[in-house]
Amino acid sequence: MTWTSLKSRLAGAGYVASDDLAVALQLALTLGRPLLLEGAAGVGKTEIARTLSMIEDTRLIRLQCYEGLDASQAIYEWNYQRQLLSIRAAAESGETGKAVEDRIFSRSFLLERPLLAAITQAKAPVLLIDEIDRADEEFEAFLLEILSDFQVSIPELGTISAVTRPIVILTSNGTRDLSDALRRRCLYTYVEYPDRTTELAILKARCPEVEARLANQIVGFVQKLREEELEKTPGVAEMLDFAAALMGLGIADLTDDPAVLHSTLTTLLKTRTDQAQITREVASRLAGKAA
Amino acid sequence: MSRVTKFAARDPGPAARVAGFIAHLRQNGLRLGVAEAELAMAALVEVDASRPEDCRRALQAVCTGCKEEAERFGDLFNSYWMDMGRVRQKVIPALSQKSNEDVHSTRDAKGQDLGTAGRATAPDDKGDEAESEGTGRLIATKQRNFKRRDLRDLVRPEEIAEAQEIARRLGAALRDRRSRRRVAAQRGDRLHFRKIIRQSLSTGGEPLRLFRKRRPDRPRKIAALCDVSGSMTVYSKVFLAFLAGLMRADTAADAYLFHTRLVRITEALRDKDAMRAIGRMSLMADGFGGGSKIGPSLQRFANTYAKRFVDGRSVVLILSDGYDTEAAEVLSDALAKIRKRGCKIIWLNPLKGWTDYAPVAAGMAMALPYLDLFKAANTLGDLATLEQEFAAL
């Protein structure tokens, strides 16, 4: 499979990828390396993993990172409640200590968390490690171990090696610089906001019912809006929401009614200062330029 | 395909060329090892090698690791593989002077236009200007200084070592903020009784797992912005050494240079070799010693980097004399915006050390209300004495 065919398969599932991204993804698949995606919020980093799992027809296992994420949340944890109940039941039936111990530290008492689940699937899943920059550096360190060896050691059970190698995709919003060690193990792509033609293609793929002229206006408007100095630049998801809002209100032309246009801007502008900055006049001026 | 580099006839083959390319990247400051060279070969097998664009994309995915590197990669790729068509691209020159045996190119892989204003420094159209923000590809302004200054002439290695020590102490004075409150922690010094009791309910009242708590460190991040405009030339030496020291002492710190534009130099200053770091920085600081636009530069900072790196636990350190060619309102607006992120702002002004100094420069006067600390500093010694003040913040 070449990268162009991968790109068209992604497009078939509704994801329009840039050439850089398609090549990187293709390499990640063939070389079995994790792929690190960086970029602003709302450019479609998480979506690519979802689409990939769809076209590969496999499970998507997602690990959302946050500050303070630790091994028991990410890899595995013993099911303490079940173990305790089991001990009590054993005490009543008069089972010996050794047998109980063997039983309560077996696989059925193990709660699989995303990372362990990802390496024990029969068919290689897509493992999405979302917003890795939010996790602590400590977590990054043991993620490295799993990404290089694809095995997990559990003191009571021994080492569990990967049945299949998951397709690993990491995303980062760049709130913190990642360690060089992690970057070295991954292929890297910076995902930009899409250009006009790409974004138009995305809109066509996701909302085919929008007619061509309005689609042009929507994309042009959002592209112009991104050039304004905003606190939170609208991403692709917001653009799709905006399109859906316009469709729902039955608007055929952006320049028709400034009041309605301004009220639909709630889908694009997410802070108070941004809303104050894009007044009705500014919005209709941008719409005029975009047309 | 006319632009492809013609390799010598005795060239040992594609593998050596790729190895040469990796060496070329390494000389230009990308941190790559043998494993990457291997991976690059494997990646090239997967794409159609007769299509240069595909190869570039594949190698870019393998060899780059952050946005700054990804943006520079195109130029580096072209200068190694595509230089027969006289594509005059500027690349950051190799810093070691010995010729590289691995590069079997008929032309010098370093390019030939290092001393002149090349494509990247020429006045450009608006679109490109926005794109090149913060990569060290600076665009001309009317006050632009055409002479390229090598900052390595200004800074000596001993000074960096000294500055590093001072920066480490200052950093520690700013950083060590311990909270009184205790929070749950895996390796805490005390037991977290409330949590233990609460969790014991799920195990039938038996406190099976012991939770701990400790006082968390609340580290402060330092973002330092250094003015390198003409009026600051005399003091730049001290401040640049200080920045280099700061970046080496504190792995979470962030550094920027500004004159008429703002450049992030954090990546460059993290170079293991201190003098090479300064060398890389001087290439980024094109226009060094030119005019100063403090307001717009800080505005730029507030709108871009500050959103990612500055929060309530940050300290923004501005090293400037406050002589701005732009309207003073721009500066105060920018400071207000940065201030709103909840950080502390410290301004170190070399002129303040003069006996009769008063902050009469319009920009400086307007900036004062937003500053947490406004101090004099023009030697490393002065900086060292600030430790107490920083600790009191």
Side-chain angles (χ1 to χ4, degrees):
Chain A
M1 188 173 64
T2 61
W3 66 271
T4 38
S5 73
L6 177 68
K7 192 179 165 180
S8 54
R9 282 177 67 201
L10 285 171
Y15 190 97
V16 183
S18 69
D19 291 356
D20 282 7
L21 180 59
V23 171
L25 202 58
Q26 161 72 6
L27 287 176
L29 290 174
T30 48
L31 302 176
R33 287 283 178 140
L35 175 63
L36 170 63
L37 299 175
E38 271 191 319
V43 290
K45 299 189 293 295
T46 307
E47 195 61 31
I48 185 83
R50 192 169 298 145
T51 317
L52 195 63
S53 76
M54 213 189 296
I55 63 170
E56 295 282 318
D57 190 26
T58 176
R59 239 185 103 186
L60 173 70
I61 296 175
R62 177 173 176 166
L63 175 65
Q64 173 69 47
C65 295
Y66 54 87
E67 208 177 327
L69 178 69
D70 60 6
S72 68
Q73 292 301 314
I75 307 180
Y76 72 89
E77 194 173 22
W78 289 104
N79 192 339
Y80 293 105
Q81 285 91 330
R82 273 194 73 185
Q83 284 180 331
L84 210 71
L85 285 173
S86 179
I87 292 170
R88 294 237 168 112
E92 280 167 17
S93 65
E95 212 173 334
T96 62
K98 179 72 183 141
V100 179
E101 206 172 296
D102 284 347
R103 192 152 53 79
I104 63 171
F105 287 112
S106 61
R107 278 297 274 274
S108 55
F109 286 84
L110 197 68
L111 292 175
E112 284 187 350
R113 302 290 186 207
L115 291 183
L116 183 60
I119 64 168
T120 52
Q121 302 290 319
K123 185 175 183 190
V126 175
L127 172 62
L128 170 66
I129 300 171
D130 216 359
E131 306 191 340
I132 174 74
D133 50 336
R134 288 203 192 173
D136 316 315
E137 271 154 48
E138 258 171 63
F139 177 74
E140 210 175 283
F142 70 45
L143 188 61
L144 278 178
E145 194 191 324
I146 293 182
L147 290 186
S148 53
D149 301 343
F150 288 101
Q151 62 181 33
V152 171
S153 3
I154 300 171
E156 297 87 350
L157 267 183
T159 305
I160 299 178
S161 300
V163 184
T164 49
R165 274 193 164 209
I167 304 162
V168 185
I169 293 183
L170 298 97
T171 75
S172 161
N173 283 339
T175 50
R176 148 174 98 75
D177 286 338
L178 300 176
S179 74
D180 273 357
L182 184 67
R183 289 180 189 280
R184 276 199 53 197
R185 277 178 184 68
C186 302
L187 301 177
Y188 174 85
T189 300
Y190 188 84
V191 189
E192 300 273 2
Y193 284 113
D195 57 27
R196 200 179 168 127
T197 41
T198 315
E199 195 161 19
L200 205 56
I202 295 171
L203 182 58
K204 283 219 178 91
R206 286 302 172 97
C207 302
E209 66 277 13
V210 180
E211 52 179 288
R213 203 169 68 94
L214 182 63
N216 249 322
Q217 281 184 334
I218 291 172
V219 170
F221 181 77
V222 174
Q223 294 263 344
K224 281 271 176 273
L225 199 62
R226 284 198 191 117
E227 288 167 16
E228 296 288 307
E229 281 195 5
L230 296 177
E231 275 184 8
K232 166 83 186 73
T233 315
V236 178
E238 276 93 342
M239 184 273 292
L240 293 174
D241 284 349
F242 180 53
L246 292 175
M247 291 300 291
L249 291 171
I251 293 168
D253 194 315
L254 275 192
T255 47
D256 273 353
D257 189 349
V260 177
L261 172 66
H262 190 240
S263 59
T264 54
L265 286 184
T266 47
T267 54
L268 291 173
L269 305 171
K270 304 292 174 70
T271 72
R272 193 171 162 231
T273 39
D274 286 353
Q275 293 201 333
Q277 192 186 334
I278 308 298
T279 55
R280 189 179 291 187
E281 289 71 38
V282 178
S284 46
R285 179 167 56 79
L286 290 179
K289 265 194 216 162
Chain B
M1 295 296 285
S2 60
R3 284 181 168 180
V4 173
T5 302
K6 291 215 168 55
F7 289 92
R10 57 190 164 74
D11 178 71
R17 291 177 204 169
V18 173
F21 180 59
I22 299 288
H24 165 71
L25 293 179
R26 208 176 291 141
Q27 280 194 332
N28 283 296
L30 273 64
R31 280 160 294 210
L32 300 169
V34 183
E36 277 82 1
E38 237 181 275
L39 188 61
M41 298 289 282
L44 285 176
V45 175
E46 301 296 331
V47 296
D48 185 355
S50 63
R51 296 172 60 175
E53 262 307 281
D54 287 10
C55 294
R56 182 191 62 72
R57 290 187 180 115
L59 288 172
Q60 182 168 337
V62 172
C63 297
T64 61
C66 65
K67 191 185 176 193
E68 282 80 11
E69 285 174 7
E71 280 169 356
R72 265 173 64 201
F73 190 83
D75 289 351
L76 292 169
F77 181 87
N78 286 345
S79 76
Y80 186 81
W81 299 105
M82 308 280 199
D83 67 352
M84 261 315 270
R86 297 279 180 273
V87 190
R88 288 168 70 93
Q89 305 281 22
K90 190 181 85 165
V91 292
I92 310 284
L95 293 158
S96 65
Q97 288 306 307
K98 70 174 176 62
S99 66
N100 187 342
E101 296 300 324
D102 295 328
V103 182
H104 295 277
S105 165
T106 49
R107 263 180 47 155
D108 187 353
K110 282 175 258 175
Q112 298 178 335
D113 51 345
L114 300 173
T116 59
R119 183 189 67 86
T121 45
D124 220 328
D125 62 3
K126 189 77 181 159
D128 203 296
E129 187 173 337
E131 230 175 61
S132 65
E133 189 59 50
T135 59
R137 296 199 285 151
L138 298 167
I139 310 300
T141 61
K142 60 181 172 188
Q143 293 109 331
R144 188 164 139 241
N145 187 349
F146 280 86
K147 260 189 296 180
R148 188 177 297 241
R149 291 282 288 270
D150 192 339
L151 304 187
R152 277 174 295 180
D153 296 343
L154 285 175
V155 185
R156 284 176 297 125
E158 310 85 86
E159 283 174 340
I160 295 180
E162 193 190 336
Q164 190 170 341
E165 177 54 28
I166 294 170
R168 195 188 57 73
R169 292 221 315 273
L170 283 183
L174 278 175
R175 239 190 340 272
D176 284 347
R177 287 281 176 277
R178 302 201 72 191
S179 173
R180 303 289 304 168
R181 212 159 52 86
R182 285 172 195 274
V183 298
Q186 287 210 305
R187 281 178 293 281
D189 54 345
R190 291 198 189 166
L191 291 177
H192 194 319
F193 286 112
R194 191 164 60 86
K195 194 167 179 186
I196 292 171
I197 303 291
R198 181 75 186 82
Q199 294 289 327
S200 75
L201 293 180
S202 66
T203 48
E206 296 195 39
L208 208 60
R209 287 203 287 166
L210 297 183
F211 297 94
R212 293 173 171 276
K213 60 180 177 179
R214 68 158 172 228
R215 285 185 178 165
D217 285 325
R218 302 247 184 255
R220 286 186 168 243
K221 277 184 295 182
I222 303 174
L225 293 107
C226 181
D227 185 349
V228 288
S229 59
S231 54
M232 286 284 288
T233 317
V234 201
Y235 311 103
S236 300
K237 177 180 170 181
V238 175
F239 288 155
L240 291 175
F242 176 69
L243 281 191
L246 179 71
M247 297 310 289
R248 308 182 80 67
D250 181 356
T251 50
D254 226 353
Y256 305 84
L257 288 185
F258 67 88
H259 34 89
T260 49
R261 294 187 71 78
L262 180 80
V263 207
R264 182 164 188 239
I265 51 171
T266 311
E267 276 294 318
L269 282 182
R270 291 249 189 270
D271 206 312
K272 274 199 237 40
D273 181 340
M275 286 320 276
R276 196 166 64 188
I278 300 277
R280 283 178 65 183
M281 182 166 82
S282 56
L283 283 158
M284 299 177 110
D286 257 352
F288 180 84
S292 53
K293 289 187 179 170
I294 306 177
S297 300
L298 289 185
Q299 195 77 260
R300 184 81 229 169
F301 175 70
N303 289 334
T304 53
Y305 300 109
K307 285 187 179 168
R308 283 165 59 198
F309 299 114
V310 175
D311 56 23
R313 292 182 194 164
S314 301
V315 175
V316 176
L317 192 63
I318 301 170
L319 307 161
S320 169
D321 57 6
Y323 285 127
D324 197 352
T325 53
E326 296 292 305
E329 288 74 23
V330 185
L331 175 59
S332 57
D333 282 355
L335 284 173
K337 214 172 205 173
I338 298 172
R339 187 68 202 250
K340 258 173 96 180
R341 301 198 68 83
C343 60
K344 299 267 183 209
I345 304 181
I346 298 175
W347 190 308
L348 300 179
N349 188 336
L351 304 184
K352 195 162 182 265
W354 296 2
T355 38
D356 291 328
Y357 175 78
V360 285
M364 205 60 247
M366 294 277 279
L368 280 181
Y370 301 101
L371 306 183
D372 292 281
L373 189 66
F374 179 49
K375 279 285 158 189
N378 39 25
T379 63
L380 282 178
D382 288 354
L383 285 167
T385 57
L386 289 171
E387 195 181 334
Q388 293 292 323
E389 313 261 0
F390 277 26
L393 262 183

